[in-house]
Amino acid sequence: MNPTKTAAWNNLTDHYDQIKGLSIADHFYRQPNRGDEYTLQSLGLHIDYSKHRLNQETIKLLVQLAEEMELSQAILAMFRGDRINRTENRSVLHTALRDLSSSSLMVAGEDLLPEIKRVRQQMEVFSEMVRDGSYLGHSGKPIRHIINLGIGGSDLGPAMVCQALTPYQHPHLTVDFVSNVDGSHLAQVLAGKSPDQTLFIVASKTFTTQETMTNALSAKQWLINHYNGDQKAVAAHFIALSTNQEAVCEFGIDPKNIFVFWDWVGGRYSLTSAIGLSIMLAIGKDNFKSLLSGFHQMDRHFLQTPLESNIPVLLALIGIWYNNFWGAQSHAILPYDQYLHRFPAYLQQTDMESNGKSVDQQGKVTSYQTGAVIWGEAGTNGQHAFYQLLHQGTKLIPADFIAFTKSHHQMGDHHQKLLSNFIAQTRALAFGRTVEKLSQLNIPKELVPYKVFDGNRPTTSIMAQQLNPDILGKLIALYEHKVFVQGHIWNIYSFDQWGVELGKELAGEILPELRGGLAGGEFDSSTNRLINYFREHQS
Ligand code: F6P
């Protein structure tokens, strides 16, 4: 259904006209207790959505929109395994991967949980052996270095989680991630590593992705060179995470070293599947279980909580409010935690690969805006880079500020300083600094216009006690479901990614040209020129 045809959308358009003149400061003036009234506390998360250009009527209308779009039915359909990924004719069941409380999950006459549990156990046995040093490389030495070769969903999630949970990592194992087909990435990670103590994880759902297969072949060569051409070394030093067992075997990986998952796990939603093996190796099976439990608690919250107090639903609806009624083009993710500095990059794929669509579920070009540009950086670093534009630029950029009350490192007053910046920024963005305030400060008159902060820049503050596996699981699931809600309301298919295919195909056509052969001529003049420039400047 086209969301713009709902009564709620119409009402929201009128409502926008009525309240667009009210600033965030005006809303606080009218409702001084907004800080209490617009805060949700659930699952150990403190979500403050008071610093927004909205009131209770806005929330009511947004919830009405969700109801008219039959969101609750859509949530149920996903959890029970309906084939909601219609363009690929697949279920979307990443929630089953972390379902720690159900005894069965019947989909098309098959219970999915036993197989999920079997693979998780396989992962646990394997990771315990690597972690306790009983898993040995080809020359009988324990593994010290783990290198995950994958890209997109087979890289960003595990890399982000391993980084975020650094304090929980095994002290004697290094875990690296190589994704780029740029040989510099692999070369940099291999430098200084001893092949006889290195384990490669080839992580690829399809096991056909150019970048991953190229890196895997080069890594294999590096290993075999070390063992003077002994191919048998591959069995001890390569494992695979994939849905494509046939291709894995063809690559030469021992079938007992394959950790499988299923086509109903989307790449960008796969970190709780076998794709998370690097995480389990890094933090151990118990911490991995806490991560899954965090995910599962947020899944249950999403499934069972009424829309108006459902955290992912609320954040999604507020995003729609800015995207479709205020014309915001982007959304910033600003974690005040250095360990979360990869979180914005991870969410870029989750959100932009899911909702970067302009054709609706009926095959028609949408007449309204869909997915926002997601970007961000850890605070306080971003404050000294792009916050100038957030505060005084011409763009409206709603932002999520994320912080934790306890640091993993008690170091002087670093953490109080970090958090004072976190809180101060959301205050400055919301309330700004007026000409009247400036006039009390003895500012030279000609500088006043430059020092005025209009404020009225919306933020959501998300806080929790500490960045641990459980809280991280909840945070990730929160954003996964936020993306689902938005995609559903925009009436698009969030679980395919056809838009990445064309570039792949064209790269396949251009590669032979770069490898040699006749000079170009079959492409457009710009492409030909670029190909020729490459050829002429290689040596
Ligand atoms: O970029 C497209 C994409 O298909 C992503 O959706 C996916 O996460 C990534 O490539 C990697 O795919 P695979 O795990 O099959 O190598």
Side-chain angles (χ1 to χ4, degrees):
M1 197 206 311
N2 181 337
T4 65
K5 303 281 184 247
T6 58
W9 192 280
N10 259 333
N11 294 340
L12 279 161
T13 308
D14 293 344
H15 175 68
Y16 166 77
D17 282 334
Q18 282 155 18
I19 72 160
K20 67 180 179 215
L22 293 178
S23 67
I24 295 171
D26 293 331
H27 285 297
F28 268 85
Y29 183 75
R30 290 175 171 210
Q31 296 169 286
N33 288 335
R34 275 178 77 88
D36 301 322
E37 286 165 20
Y38 293 74
T39 292
L40 282 176
Q41 278 185 308
S42 194
L43 307 177
L45 295 170
H46 177 101
I47 317 270
D48 177 343
Y49 61 102
S50 62
K51 296 192 187 93
H52 280 292
R53 301 174 182 181
L54 51 78
N55 58 25
Q56 292 299 358
E57 179 66 10
T58 325
I59 300 291
K60 197 181 104 199
L61 293 173
L62 287 167
V63 169
Q64 254 171 37
L65 173 65
E67 284 166 354
E68 277 189 73
M69 292 302 293
E70 303 184 341
L71 175 64
S72 302
Q73 292 88 318
I75 296 173
L76 280 174
M78 174 170 74
F79 275 77
R80 72 171 171 245
D82 289 9
R83 292 180 180 248
I84 59 168
N85 176 359
R86 297 232 184 93
T87 57
E88 295 179 325
N89 193 26
R90 289 174 185 166
S91 305
V92 174
L93 275 169
H94 44 276
T95 50
L97 299 165
R98 58 264 188 152
D99 186 344
L100 302 174
S101 61
S102 306
S103 49
S104 69
L105 177 67
M106 299 302 292
V107 177
E110 192 195 341
D111 185 1
L112 298 185
L113 293 192
E115 185 60 2
I116 293 173
K117 279 189 195 144
R118 183 194 67 76
V119 176
R120 199 183 306 137
Q121 263 157 19
Q122 184 197 3
M123 290 164 68
E124 287 177 2
V125 169
F126 181 78
S127 65
E128 283 307 290
M129 282 168 64
V130 173
R131 285 169 62 84
D132 68 18
S134 58
Y135 182 91
L136 304 177
H138 189 55
S139 52
K141 290 189 185 161
I143 296 300
R144 287 282 165 261
H145 309 296
I146 291 151
I147 302 179
N148 187 84
L149 308 172
I151 197 163
S154 301
D155 166 77
L156 286 162
M160 180 276 288
V161 171
C162 284
Q163 175 75 48
L165 299 179
T166 302
Y168 299 85
Q169 283 209 15
H170 191 290
H172 305 305
L173 288 175
T174 67
V175 185
D176 285 281
F177 293 83
V178 176
S179 52
N180 203 325
V181 74
D182 180 349
S184 308
H185 200 178
L186 183 62
Q188 204 181 24
V189 168
L190 292 182
K193 301 250 170 16
S194 40
D196 51 357
Q197 295 201 284
T198 299
L199 177 75
F200 291 98
I201 303 177
V202 188
S204 176
K205 181 174 170 180
T206 54
F207 226 75
T208 56
T209 305
Q210 185 197 50
E211 292 90 333
T212 303
M213 299 331 294
T214 306
N215 281 323
L217 284 171
S218 298
K220 190 168 154 187
Q221 200 52 54
W222 177 79
L223 182 87
I224 291 172
N225 288 350
H226 172 80
Y227 283 112
N228 297 320
D230 185 355
Q231 299 275 345
K232 282 198 226 103
V234 174
H237 292 270
F238 273 79
I239 63 169
L241 323 175
S242 188
T243 57
N244 186 351
Q245 302 193 49
E246 211 180 309
V248 175
C249 293
E250 234 167 73
F251 181 87
I253 290 178
D254 192 336
K256 75 173 190 311
N257 286 340
I258 306 177
F259 298 80
V260 298
F261 56 111
W262 309 273
D263 70 357
W264 41 261
V265 183
R268 53 194 174 275
Y269 298 90
S270 65
L271 80 86
T272 52
S273 71
I275 287 292
L277 184 60
S278 53
I279 303 172
M280 196 188 275
L281 284 159
I283 66 174
K285 64 180 169 57
D286 294 336
N287 284 320
F288 191 80
K289 257 217 176 105
S290 303
L291 179 77
L292 295 187
S293 154
F295 268 96
H296 183 51
Q297 289 172 66
M298 184 55 80
D299 292 344
R300 292 277 126 191
H301 168 92
F302 182 52
L303 185 63
Q304 293 165 348
T305 311
L307 300 181
E308 56 279 4
S309 47
N310 189 312
I311 304 170
V313 172
L314 258 184
L315 296 197
L317 293 174
I318 293 172
I320 288 174
W321 175 233
Y322 289 113
N323 196 317
N324 297 99
F325 296 90
W326 290 86
Q329 293 279 326
S330 85
H331 184 99
I333 305 288
L334 308 170
Y336 275 65
D337 190 301
Q338 190 56 27
Y339 286 134
L340 266 192
H341 81 99
R342 297 283 292 156
F343 199 47
Y346 163 74
L347 288 182
Q348 277 178 337
Q349 191 202 14
T350 312
D351 199 317
M352 294 166 80
E353 200 168 80
S354 298
N355 287 344
K357 316 278 167 67
S358 50
V359 173
D360 70 15
Q361 294 198 7
Q362 287 68 44
K364 301 235 168 62
V365 174
T366 59
S367 57
Y368 46 88
Q369 291 285 305
T370 62
V373 176
I374 303 295
W375 62 285
E377 178 55 77
T380 57
N381 290 356
Q383 290 177 205
H384 300 271
F386 53 79
Y387 276 39
Q388 165 63 40
L389 188 146
L390 293 187
H391 283 287
Q392 289 187 315
T394 53
K395 311 261 180 307
L396 168 64
I397 304 177
D400 292 353
F401 278 68
I402 304 169
F404 304 93
T405 55
K406 275 169 75 176
S407 168
H408 281 286
H409 304 282
Q410 292 309 327
M411 205 182 278
D413 63 354
H414 284 237
H415 203 59
Q416 284 98 322
K417 284 179 175 155
L418 177 71
L419 270 283
S420 66
N421 276 283
F422 166 82
I423 296 171
Q425 285 297 328
T426 64
R427 185 164 150 72
L429 286 162
F431 303 110
R433 191 163 57 183
T434 58
V435 178
E436 295 76 60
K437 275 261 167 65
L438 282 170
S439 64
Q440 298 157 10
L441 295 176
N442 247 351
I443 306 281
K445 224 171 154 204
E446 66 278 14
L447 286 185
V448 168
Y450 301 101
K451 294 202 166 223
V452 167
F453 286 67
D454 295 334
N456 203 23
R457 318 260 166 163
T459 61
T460 301
S461 300
I462 301 176
M463 295 187 80
Q465 205 176 24
Q466 192 162 43
L467 180 55
N468 58 34
D470 169 71
I471 284 291
L472 183 61
K474 288 170 183 161
L475 263 184
I476 301 170
L478 156 56
Y479 280 96
E480 284 180 348
H481 298 319
K482 175 190 165 190
V483 168
F484 171 85
V485 172
Q486 294 191 332
H488 176 74
I489 290 180
W490 287 324
N491 187 33
I492 53 178
Y493 287 123
S494 295
F495 295 101
D496 60 21
Q497 55 286 317
W498 301 109
V500 297
E501 293 305 320
L502 179 61
K504 288 186 198 171
E505 273 168 40
L506 295 189
E509 286 173 22
I510 288 169
L511 183 59
E513 299 279 331
L514 301 188
R515 281 185 172 146
L518 295 171
E522 306 204 354
F523 304 98
D524 61 90
S525 57
S526 164
T527 305
N528 286 335
R529 194 76 196 257
L530 292 170
I531 292 170
N532 287 335
Y533 183 84
F534 175 81
R535 289 171 158 185
E536 288 159 19
H537 293 84
Q538 279 192 87
S539 49

